[in-house]
mmCIF file with all atom_site columns, all heavy atoms in Angstrom:
data_model
loop_
_atom_site.group_PDB
_atom_site.id
_atom_site.type_symbol
_atom_site.label_atom_id
_atom_site.label_alt_id
_atom_site.label_comp_id
_atom_site.label_asym_id
_atom_site.label_entity_id
_atom_site.label_seq_id
_atom_site.pdbx_PDB_ins_code
_atom_site.Cartn_x
_atom_site.Cartn_y
_atom_site.Cartn_z
_atom_site.occupancy
_atom_site.B_iso_or_equiv
_atom_site.pdbx_formal_charge
_atom_site.auth_seq_id
_atom_site.auth_comp_id
_atom_site.auth_asym_id
_atom_site.auth_atom_id
_atom_site.pdbx_PDB_model_num
ATOM 1   N N   . CYS Q 1 1  ? 12.875 -36.529 -18.157 1.00 0.00 ? 1056 CYS Q N   1
ATOM 2   C CA  . CYS Q 1 1  ? 14.077 -36.514 -17.276 1.00 0.00 ? 1056 CYS Q CA  1
ATOM 3   C C   . CYS Q 1 1  ? 14.846 -35.129 -17.519 1.00 0.00 ? 1056 CYS Q C   1
ATOM 4   O O   . CYS Q 1 1  ? 15.387 -34.576 -16.675 1.00 0.00 ? 1056 CYS Q O   1
ATOM 5   C CB  . CYS Q 1 1  ? 14.926 -37.721 -17.352 1.00 0.00 ? 1056 CYS Q CB  1
ATOM 6   S SG  . CYS Q 1 1  ? 15.974 -38.074 -15.984 1.00 0.00 ? 1056 CYS Q SG  1
ATOM 7   N N   . ALA Q 1 2  ? 15.047 -34.905 -18.843 1.00 0.00 ? 1057 ALA Q N   1
ATOM 8   C CA  . ALA Q 1 2  ? 15.681 -33.499 -19.211 1.00 0.00 ? 1057 ALA Q CA  1
ATOM 9   C C   . ALA Q 1 2  ? 15.032 -32.226 -18.541 1.00 0.00 ? 1057 ALA Q C   1
ATOM 10  O O   . ALA Q 1 2  ? 15.638 -31.481 -17.947 1.00 0.00 ? 1057 ALA Q O   1
ATOM 11  C CB  . ALA Q 1 2  ? 15.697 -33.313 -20.636 1.00 0.00 ? 1057 ALA Q CB  1
ATOM 12  N N   . GLY Q 1 3  ? 13.637 -32.333 -18.427 1.00 0.00 ? 1058 GLY Q N   1
ATOM 13  C CA  . GLY Q 1 3  ? 13.018 -31.210 -17.831 1.00 0.00 ? 1058 GLY Q CA  1
ATOM 14  C C   . GLY Q 1 3  ? 13.029 -31.251 -16.361 1.00 0.00 ? 1058 GLY Q C   1
ATOM 15  O O   . GLY Q 1 3  ? 13.225 -30.237 -15.643 1.00 0.00 ? 1058 GLY Q O   1
ATOM 16  N N   . ALA Q 1 4  ? 12.853 -32.498 -15.833 1.00 0.00 ? 1059 ALA Q N   1
ATOM 17  C CA  . ALA Q 1 4  ? 12.958 -32.606 -14.362 1.00 0.00 ? 1059 ALA Q CA  1
ATOM 18  C C   . ALA Q 1 4  ? 14.329 -32.296 -13.771 1.00 0.00 ? 1059 ALA Q C   1
ATOM 19  O O   . ALA Q 1 4  ? 14.434 -31.912 -12.674 1.00 0.00 ? 1059 ALA Q O   1
ATOM 20  C CB  . ALA Q 1 4  ? 12.701 -34.089 -13.929 1.00 0.00 ? 1059 ALA Q CB  1
ATOM 21  N N   . ALA Q 1 5  ? 15.338 -32.395 -14.613 1.00 0.00 ? 1060 ALA Q N   1
ATOM 22  C CA  . ALA Q 1 5  ? 16.682 -32.119 -14.148 1.00 0.00 ? 1060 ALA Q CA  1
ATOM 23  C C   . ALA Q 1 5  ? 16.880 -30.552 -13.761 1.00 0.00 ? 1060 ALA Q C   1
ATOM 24  O O   . ALA Q 1 5  ? 17.825 -30.155 -13.395 1.00 0.00 ? 1060 ALA Q O   1
ATOM 25  C CB  . ALA Q 1 5  ? 17.731 -32.473 -15.122 1.00 0.00 ? 1060 ALA Q CB  1
ATOM 26  N N   . LEU Q 1 6  ? 15.862 -29.669 -14.366 1.00 0.00 ? 1061 LEU Q N   1
ATOM 27  C CA  . LEU Q 1 6  ? 15.854 -28.306 -14.054 1.00 0.00 ? 1061 LEU Q CA  1
ATOM 28  C C   . LEU Q 1 6  ? 15.101 -27.963 -12.743 1.00 0.00 ? 1061 LEU Q C   1
ATOM 29  O O   . LEU Q 1 6  ? 15.193 -26.853 -12.160 1.00 0.00 ? 1061 LEU Q O   1
ATOM 30  C CB  . LEU Q 1 6  ? 15.307 -27.492 -15.193 1.00 0.00 ? 1061 LEU Q CB  1
ATOM 31  C CG  . LEU Q 1 6  ? 15.953 -27.537 -16.510 1.00 0.00 ? 1061 LEU Q CG  1
ATOM 32  C CD1 . LEU Q 1 6  ? 15.158 -26.664 -17.576 1.00 0.00 ? 1061 LEU Q CD1 1
ATOM 33  C CD2 . LEU Q 1 6  ? 17.382 -27.076 -16.364 1.00 0.00 ? 1061 LEU Q CD2 1
ATOM 34  N N   . ALA Q 1 7  ? 14.177 -28.919 -12.378 1.00 0.00 ? 1062 ALA Q N   1
ATOM 35  C CA  . ALA Q 1 7  ? 13.180 -28.551 -11.374 1.00 0.00 ? 1062 ALA Q CA  1
ATOM 36  C C   . ALA Q 1 7  ? 13.747 -28.183 -9.799  1.00 0.00 ? 1062 ALA Q C   1
ATOM 37  O O   . ALA Q 1 7  ? 13.136 -27.479 -9.259  1.00 0.00 ? 1062 ALA Q O   1
ATOM 38  C CB  . ALA Q 1 7  ? 12.059 -29.648 -11.291 1.00 0.00 ? 1062 ALA Q CB  1
ATOM 39  N N   . PRO Q 1 8  ? 14.791 -28.790 -9.454  1.00 0.00 ? 1063 PRO Q N   1
ATOM 40  C CA  . PRO Q 1 8  ? 15.376 -28.484 -8.085  1.00 0.00 ? 1063 PRO Q CA  1
ATOM 41  C C   . PRO Q 1 8  ? 15.641 -27.065 -7.989  1.00 0.00 ? 1063 PRO Q C   1
ATOM 42  O O   . PRO Q 1 8  ? 15.753 -26.530 -6.923  1.00 0.00 ? 1063 PRO Q O   1
ATOM 43  C CB  . PRO Q 1 8  ? 16.555 -29.423 -7.976  1.00 0.00 ? 1063 PRO Q CB  1
ATOM 44  C CG  . PRO Q 1 8  ? 16.230 -30.690 -8.822  1.00 0.00 ? 1063 PRO Q CG  1
ATOM 45  C CD  . PRO Q 1 8  ? 15.552 -30.106 -10.021 1.00 0.00 ? 1063 PRO Q CD  1
ATOM 46  N N   . ASP Q 1 9  ? 15.928 -26.285 -9.129  1.00 0.00 ? 1064 ASP Q N   1
ATOM 47  C CA  . ASP Q 1 9  ? 16.280 -24.987 -8.999  1.00 0.00 ? 1064 ASP Q CA  1
ATOM 48  C C   . ASP Q 1 9  ? 15.001 -24.071 -8.846  1.00 0.00 ? 1064 ASP Q C   1
ATOM 49  O O   . ASP Q 1 9  ? 15.113 -22.771 -9.084  1.00 0.00 ? 1064 ASP Q O   1
ATOM 50  C CB  . ASP Q 1 9  ? 17.093 -24.439 -10.176 1.00 0.00 ? 1064 ASP Q CB  1
ATOM 51  C CG  . ASP Q 1 9  ? 18.582 -24.736 -10.020 1.00 0.00 ? 1064 ASP Q CG  1
ATOM 52  O OD1 . ASP Q 1 9  ? 19.033 -24.994 -8.915  1.00 0.00 ? 1064 ASP Q OD1 1
ATOM 53  O OD2 . ASP Q 1 9  ? 19.316 -24.873 -10.952 1.00 0.00 ? 1064 ASP Q OD2 1
ATOM 54  N N   . LEU Q 1 10 ? 13.880 -24.690 -8.459  1.00 0.00 ? 1065 LEU Q N   1
ATOM 55  C CA  . LEU Q 1 10 ? 12.717 -23.886 -8.155  1.00 0.00 ? 1065 LEU Q CA  1
ATOM 56  C C   . LEU Q 1 10 ? 12.858 -23.027 -6.841  1.00 0.00 ? 1065 LEU Q C   1
ATOM 57  O O   . LEU Q 1 10 ? 12.081 -22.258 -6.670  1.00 0.00 ? 1065 LEU Q O   1
ATOM 58  C CB  . LEU Q 1 10 ? 11.634 -24.968 -7.984  1.00 0.00 ? 1065 LEU Q CB  1
ATOM 59  C CG  . LEU Q 1 10 ? 10.084 -24.366 -8.012  1.00 0.00 ? 1065 LEU Q CG  1
ATOM 60  C CD1 . LEU Q 1 10 ? 9.836  -23.861 -9.388  1.00 0.00 ? 1065 LEU Q CD1 1
ATOM 61  C CD2 . LEU Q 1 10 ? 9.072  -25.558 -7.793  1.00 0.00 ? 1065 LEU Q CD2 1
ATOM 62  N N   . ASP Q 1 11 ? 14.014 -23.213 -6.226  1.00 0.00 ? 1066 ASP Q N   1
ATOM 63  C CA  . ASP Q 1 11 ? 14.321 -22.293 -5.114  1.00 0.00 ? 1066 ASP Q CA  1
ATOM 64  C C   . ASP Q 1 11 ? 15.231 -21.285 -5.374  1.00 0.00 ? 1066 ASP Q C   1
ATOM 65  O O   . ASP Q 1 11 ? 15.698 -20.502 -4.609  1.00 0.00 ? 1066 ASP Q O   1
ATOM 66  C CB  . ASP Q 1 11 ? 14.978 -23.246 -4.017  1.00 0.00 ? 1066 ASP Q CB  1
ATOM 67  C CG  . ASP Q 1 11 ? 16.288 -23.760 -4.441  1.00 0.00 ? 1066 ASP Q CG  1
ATOM 68  O OD1 . ASP Q 1 11 ? 16.755 -23.603 -5.563  1.00 0.00 ? 1066 ASP Q OD1 1
ATOM 69  O OD2 . ASP Q 1 11 ? 16.854 -24.628 -3.595  1.00 0.00 ? 1066 ASP Q OD2 1
ATOM 70  N N   . HIS Q 1 12 ? 15.393 -21.017 -6.777  1.00 0.00 ? 1067 HIS Q N   1
ATOM 71  C CA  . HIS Q 1 12 ? 16.294 -19.940 -7.219  1.00 0.00 ? 1067 HIS Q CA  1
ATOM 72  C C   . HIS Q 1 12 ? 15.641 -18.944 -8.159  1.00 0.00 ? 1067 HIS Q C   1
ATOM 73  O O   . HIS Q 1 12 ? 15.169 -19.280 -9.232  1.00 0.00 ? 1067 HIS Q O   1
ATOM 74  C CB  . HIS Q 1 12 ? 17.468 -20.556 -7.939  1.00 0.00 ? 1067 HIS Q CB  1
ATOM 75  C CG  . HIS Q 1 12 ? 18.717 -19.688 -8.173  1.00 0.00 ? 1067 HIS Q CG  1
ATOM 76  N ND1 . HIS Q 1 12 ? 18.597 -18.342 -7.956  1.00 0.00 ? 1067 HIS Q ND1 1
ATOM 77  C CD2 . HIS Q 1 12 ? 19.930 -19.879 -8.831  1.00 0.00 ? 1067 HIS Q CD2 1
ATOM 78  C CE1 . HIS Q 1 12 ? 19.702 -17.761 -8.401  1.00 0.00 ? 1067 HIS Q CE1 1
ATOM 79  N NE2 . HIS Q 1 12 ? 20.592 -18.620 -8.767  1.00 0.00 ? 1067 HIS Q NE2 1
ATOM 80  N N   . LYS Q 1 13 ? 15.471 -17.900 -7.744  1.00 0.00 ? 1068 LYS Q N   1
ATOM 81  C CA  . LYS Q 1 13 ? 14.713 -16.804 -8.572  1.00 0.00 ? 1068 LYS Q CA  1
ATOM 82  C C   . LYS Q 1 13 ? 15.268 -16.394 -9.941  1.00 0.00 ? 1068 LYS Q C   1
ATOM 83  O O   . LYS Q 1 13 ? 14.605 -15.940 -10.797 1.00 0.00 ? 1068 LYS Q O   1
ATOM 84  C CB  . LYS Q 1 13 ? 14.441 -15.500 -7.825  1.00 0.00 ? 1068 LYS Q CB  1
ATOM 85  C CG  . LYS Q 1 13 ? 13.600 -15.748 -6.570  1.00 0.00 ? 1068 LYS Q CG  1
ATOM 86  C CD  . LYS Q 1 13 ? 13.513 -14.371 -5.713  1.00 0.00 ? 1068 LYS Q CD  1
ATOM 87  C CE  . LYS Q 1 13 ? 14.690 -14.262 -4.894  1.00 0.00 ? 1068 LYS Q CE  1
ATOM 88  N NZ  . LYS Q 1 13 ? 14.585 -13.153 -3.943  1.00 0.00 ? 1068 LYS Q NZ  1
ATOM 89  N N   . SER Q 1 14 ? 16.564 -16.800 -10.099 1.00 0.00 ? 1069 SER Q N   1
ATOM 90  C CA  . SER Q 1 14 ? 17.208 -16.408 -11.557 1.00 0.00 ? 1069 SER Q CA  1
ATOM 91  C C   . SER Q 1 14 ? 17.415 -17.730 -12.263 1.00 0.00 ? 1069 SER Q C   1
ATOM 92  O O   . SER Q 1 14 ? 17.959 -17.567 -13.328 1.00 0.00 ? 1069 SER Q O   1
ATOM 93  C CB  . SER Q 1 14 ? 18.527 -15.705 -11.128 1.00 0.00 ? 1069 SER Q CB  1
ATOM 94  O OG  . SER Q 1 14 ? 18.403 -14.629 -10.436 1.00 0.00 ? 1069 SER Q OG  1
ATOM 95  N N   . ALA Q 1 15 ? 16.838 -18.850 -11.873 1.00 0.00 ? 1070 ALA Q N   1
ATOM 96  C CA  . ALA Q 1 15 ? 17.104 -20.058 -12.552 1.00 0.00 ? 1070 ALA Q CA  1
ATOM 97  C C   . ALA Q 1 15 ? 16.181 -20.161 -13.770 1.00 0.00 ? 1070 ALA Q C   1
ATOM 98  O O   . ALA Q 1 15 ? 15.168 -19.497 -14.015 1.00 0.00 ? 1070 ALA Q O   1
ATOM 99  C CB  . ALA Q 1 15 ? 16.750 -21.281 -11.625 1.00 0.00 ? 1070 ALA Q CB  1
ATOM 100 N N   . THR Q 1 16 ? 16.534 -21.007 -14.790 1.00 0.00 ? 1071 THR Q N   1
ATOM 101 C CA  . THR Q 1 16 ? 15.811 -21.198 -16.031 1.00 0.00 ? 1071 THR Q CA  1
ATOM 102 C C   . THR Q 1 16 ? 14.299 -21.530 -15.678 1.00 0.00 ? 1071 THR Q C   1
ATOM 103 O O   . THR Q 1 16 ? 13.431 -20.962 -16.245 1.00 0.00 ? 1071 THR Q O   1
ATOM 104 C CB  . THR Q 1 16 ? 16.431 -22.411 -16.759 1.00 0.00 ? 1071 THR Q CB  1
ATOM 105 O OG1 . THR Q 1 16 ? 17.661 -22.072 -17.202 1.00 0.00 ? 1071 THR Q OG1 1
ATOM 106 C CG2 . THR Q 1 16 ? 15.566 -22.601 -18.121 1.00 0.00 ? 1071 THR Q CG2 1
ATOM 107 N N   . ILE Q 1 17 ? 14.079 -22.321 -14.702 1.00 0.00 ? 1072 ILE Q N   1
ATOM 108 C CA  . ILE Q 1 17 ? 12.629 -22.783 -14.384 1.00 0.00 ? 1072 ILE Q CA  1
ATOM 109 C C   . ILE Q 1 17 ? 11.795 -21.540 -13.907 1.00 0.00 ? 1072 ILE Q C   1
ATOM 110 O O   . ILE Q 1 17 ? 10.533 -21.583 -14.028 1.00 0.00 ? 1072 ILE Q O   1
ATOM 111 C CB  . ILE Q 1 17 ? 12.584 -23.920 -13.412 1.00 0.00 ? 1072 ILE Q CB  1
ATOM 112 C CG1 . ILE Q 1 17 ? 11.310 -24.503 -13.214 1.00 0.00 ? 1072 ILE Q CG1 1
ATOM 113 C CG2 . ILE Q 1 17 ? 13.243 -23.386 -11.933 1.00 0.00 ? 1072 ILE Q CG2 1
ATOM 114 C CD1 . ILE Q 1 17 ? 11.119 -25.760 -12.390 1.00 0.00 ? 1072 ILE Q CD1 1
ATOM 115 N N   . SER Q 1 18 ? 12.539 -20.597 -13.281 1.00 0.00 ? 1073 SER Q N   1
ATOM 116 C CA  . SER Q 1 18 ? 11.761 -19.497 -12.783 1.00 0.00 ? 1073 SER Q CA  1
ATOM 117 C C   . SER Q 1 18 ? 11.071 -18.629 -13.889 1.00 0.00 ? 1073 SER Q C   1
ATOM 118 O O   . SER Q 1 18 ? 10.058 -17.963 -13.669 1.00 0.00 ? 1073 SER Q O   1
ATOM 119 C CB  . SER Q 1 18 ? 12.583 -18.547 -11.958 1.00 0.00 ? 1073 SER Q CB  1
ATOM 120 O OG  . SER Q 1 18 ? 13.579 -17.680 -12.784 1.00 0.00 ? 1073 SER Q OG  1
ATOM 121 N N   . ARG Q 1 19 ? 11.672 -18.700 -15.151 1.00 0.00 ? 1074 ARG Q N   1
ATOM 122 C CA  . ARG Q 1 19 ? 11.269 -17.974 -16.215 1.00 0.00 ? 1074 ARG Q CA  1
ATOM 123 C C   . ARG Q 1 19 ? 10.264 -18.831 -17.126 1.00 0.00 ? 1074 ARG Q C   1
ATOM 124 O O   . ARG Q 1 19 ? 9.645  -18.276 -18.119 1.00 0.00 ? 1074 ARG Q O   1
ATOM 125 C CB  . ARG Q 1 19 ? 12.345 -17.441 -17.190 1.00 0.00 ? 1074 ARG Q CB  1
ATOM 126 C CG  . ARG Q 1 19 ? 13.339 -16.619 -16.451 1.00 0.00 ? 1074 ARG Q CG  1
ATOM 127 C CD  . ARG Q 1 19 ? 14.426 -16.076 -17.414 1.00 0.00 ? 1074 ARG Q CD  1
ATOM 128 N NE  . ARG Q 1 19 ? 15.266 -17.019 -18.053 1.00 0.00 ? 1074 ARG Q NE  1
ATOM 129 C CZ  . ARG Q 1 19 ? 16.364 -17.691 -17.522 1.00 0.00 ? 1074 ARG Q CZ  1
ATOM 130 N NH1 . ARG Q 1 19 ? 16.818 -17.105 -16.484 1.00 0.00 ? 1074 ARG Q NH1 1
ATOM 131 N NH2 . ARG Q 1 19 ? 16.984 -18.627 -18.004 1.00 0.00 ? 1074 ARG Q NH2 1
ATOM 132 N N   . ALA Q 1 20 ? 10.292 -20.053 -16.894 1.00 0.00 ? 1075 ALA Q N   1
ATOM 133 C CA  . ALA Q 1 20 ? 9.570  -21.038 -17.807 1.00 0.00 ? 1075 ALA Q CA  1
ATOM 134 C C   . ALA Q 1 20 ? 8.093  -20.789 -18.047 1.00 0.00 ? 1075 ALA Q C   1
ATOM 135 O O   . ALA Q 1 20 ? 7.572  -21.018 -19.059 1.00 0.00 ? 1075 ALA Q O   1
ATOM 136 C CB  . ALA Q 1 20 ? 9.830  -22.463 -17.463 1.00 0.00 ? 1075 ALA Q CB  1
ATOM 137 N N   . PHE Q 1 21 ? 7.482  -20.413 -16.958 1.00 0.00 ? 1076 PHE Q N   1
ATOM 138 C CA  . PHE Q 1 21 ? 6.087  -20.291 -16.961 1.00 0.00 ? 1076 PHE Q CA  1
ATOM 139 C C   . PHE Q 1 21 ? 5.582  -18.945 -16.564 1.00 0.00 ? 1076 PHE Q C   1
ATOM 140 O O   . PHE Q 1 21 ? 4.333  -18.718 -16.035 1.00 0.00 ? 1076 PHE Q O   1
ATOM 141 C CB  . PHE Q 1 21 ? 5.314  -21.454 -16.189 1.00 0.00 ? 1076 PHE Q CB  1
ATOM 142 C CG  . PHE Q 1 21 ? 5.659  -22.888 -16.529 1.00 0.00 ? 1076 PHE Q CG  1
ATOM 143 C CD1 . PHE Q 1 21 ? 6.683  -23.465 -15.927 1.00 0.00 ? 1076 PHE Q CD1 1
ATOM 144 C CD2 . PHE Q 1 21 ? 5.003  -23.447 -17.614 1.00 0.00 ? 1076 PHE Q CD2 1
ATOM 145 C CE1 . PHE Q 1 21 ? 6.939  -24.682 -16.273 1.00 0.00 ? 1076 PHE Q CE1 1
ATOM 146 C CE2 . PHE Q 1 21 ? 5.165  -24.617 -18.045 1.00 0.00 ? 1076 PHE Q CE2 1
ATOM 147 C CZ  . PHE Q 1 21 ? 6.368  -25.405 -17.309 1.00 0.00 ? 1076 PHE Q CZ  1
ATOM 148 N N   . GLY Q 1 22 ? 6.374  -17.962 -16.828 1.00 0.00 ? 1077 GLY Q N   1
ATOM 149 C CA  . GLY Q 1 22 ? 6.067  -16.552 -16.652 1.00 0.00 ? 1077 GLY Q CA  1
ATOM 150 C C   . GLY Q 1 22 ? 5.675  -16.190 -15.201 1.00 0.00 ? 1077 GLY Q C   1
ATOM 151 O O   . GLY Q 1 22 ? 6.490  -16.748 -14.342 1.00 0.00 ? 1077 GLY Q O   1
ATOM 152 N N   . PRO Q 1 23 ? 4.804  -15.445 -14.895 1.00 0.00 ? 1078 PRO Q N   1
ATOM 153 C CA  . PRO Q 1 23 ? 4.521  -14.991 -13.513 1.00 0.00 ? 1078 PRO Q CA  1
ATOM 154 C C   . PRO Q 1 23 ? 4.238  -16.195 -12.515 1.00 0.00 ? 1078 PRO Q C   1
ATOM 155 O O   . PRO Q 1 23 ? 4.547  -16.094 -11.370 1.00 0.00 ? 1078 PRO Q O   1
ATOM 156 C CB  . PRO Q 1 23 ? 3.262  -14.056 -13.692 1.00 0.00 ? 1078 PRO Q CB  1
ATOM 157 C CG  . PRO Q 1 23 ? 3.342  -13.506 -15.056 1.00 0.00 ? 1078 PRO Q CG  1
ATOM 158 C CD  . PRO Q 1 23 ? 3.962  -14.702 -15.792 1.00 0.00 ? 1078 PRO Q CD  1
ATOM 159 N N   . VAL Q 1 24 ? 3.678  -17.227 -13.095 1.00 0.00 ? 1079 VAL Q N   1
ATOM 160 C CA  . VAL Q 1 24 ? 3.383  -18.452 -12.211 1.00 0.00 ? 1079 VAL Q CA  1
ATOM 161 C C   . VAL Q 1 24 ? 4.496  -19.035 -11.719 1.00 0.00 ? 1079 VAL Q C   1
ATOM 162 O O   . VAL Q 1 24 ? 4.672  -19.221 -10.424 1.00 0.00 ? 1079 VAL Q O   1
ATOM 163 C CB  . VAL Q 1 24 ? 2.421  -19.414 -13.056 1.00 0.00 ? 1079 VAL Q CB  1
ATOM 164 C CG1 . VAL Q 1 24 ? 2.323  -20.752 -12.247 1.00 0.00 ? 1079 VAL Q CG1 1
ATOM 165 C CG2 . VAL Q 1 24 ? 1.214  -18.807 -13.478 1.00 0.00 ? 1079 VAL Q CG2 1
ATOM 166 N N   . SER Q 1 25 ? 5.504  -19.247 -12.594 1.00 0.00 ? 1080 SER Q N   1
ATOM 167 C CA  . SER Q 1 25 ? 6.692  -19.999 -12.021 1.00 0.00 ? 1080 SER Q CA  1
ATOM 168 C C   . SER Q 1 25 ? 7.600  -18.975 -11.181 1.00 0.00 ? 1080 SER Q C   1
ATOM 169 O O   . SER Q 1 25 ? 8.324  -19.405 -10.245 1.00 0.00 ? 1080 SER Q O   1
ATOM 170 C CB  . SER Q 1 25 ? 7.619  -20.496 -13.212 1.00 0.00 ? 1080 SER Q CB  1
ATOM 171 O OG  . SER Q 1 25 ? 7.834  -19.417 -14.117 1.00 0.00 ? 1080 SER Q OG  1
ATOM 172 N N   . LYS Q 1 26 ? 7.511  -17.618 -11.475 1.00 0.00 ? 1081 LYS Q N   1
ATOM 173 C CA  . LYS Q 1 26 ? 8.229  -16.701 -10.668 1.00 0.00 ? 1081 LYS Q CA  1
ATOM 174 C C   . LYS Q 1 26 ? 7.682  -16.497 -9.221  1.00 0.00 ? 1081 LYS Q C   1
ATOM 175 O O   . LYS Q 1 26 ? 8.468  -16.618 -8.227  1.00 0.00 ? 1081 LYS Q O   1
ATOM 176 C CB  . LYS Q 1 26 ? 8.257  -15.287 -11.234 1.00 0.00 ? 1081 LYS Q CB  1
ATOM 177 C CG  . LYS Q 1 26 ? 9.109  -15.088 -12.529 1.00 0.00 ? 1081 LYS Q CG  1
ATOM 178 C CD  . LYS Q 1 26 ? 9.150  -13.707 -13.048 1.00 0.00 ? 1081 LYS Q CD  1
ATOM 179 C CE  . LYS Q 1 26 ? 9.996  -13.552 -14.268 1.00 0.00 ? 1081 LYS Q CE  1
ATOM 180 N NZ  . LYS Q 1 26 ? 11.441 -13.742 -13.889 1.00 0.00 ? 1081 LYS Q NZ  1
ATOM 181 N N   . ALA Q 1 27 ? 6.365  -16.603 -9.142  1.00 0.00 ? 1082 ALA Q N   1
ATOM 182 C CA  . ALA Q 1 27 ? 5.668  -16.613 -7.802  1.00 0.00 ? 1082 ALA Q CA  1
ATOM 183 C C   . ALA Q 1 27 ? 6.025  -17.975 -7.095  1.00 0.00 ? 1082 ALA Q C   1
ATOM 184 O O   . ALA Q 1 27 ? 6.185  -17.903 -5.893  1.00 0.00 ? 1082 ALA Q O   1
ATOM 185 C CB  . ALA Q 1 27 ? 4.164  -16.331 -7.937  1.00 0.00 ? 1082 ALA Q CB  1
#
């Protein structure tokens, strides 16, 4: 749940989740 609470920001290129998995999450 702590991890999933970051996931909605998958629509934001500067969010924590965008950096979490390197080029894959950025793309």
Side-chain angles (χ1 to χ4, degrees):
C1056 203
L1061 297 180
D1064 277 343
L1065 198 56
D1066 61 3
H1067 190 355
K1068 291 176 284 188
S1069 299
T1071 301
I1072 191 172
S1073 72
R1074 302 186 299 270
F1076 300 97
V1079 174
S1080 53
K1081 285 185 179 295

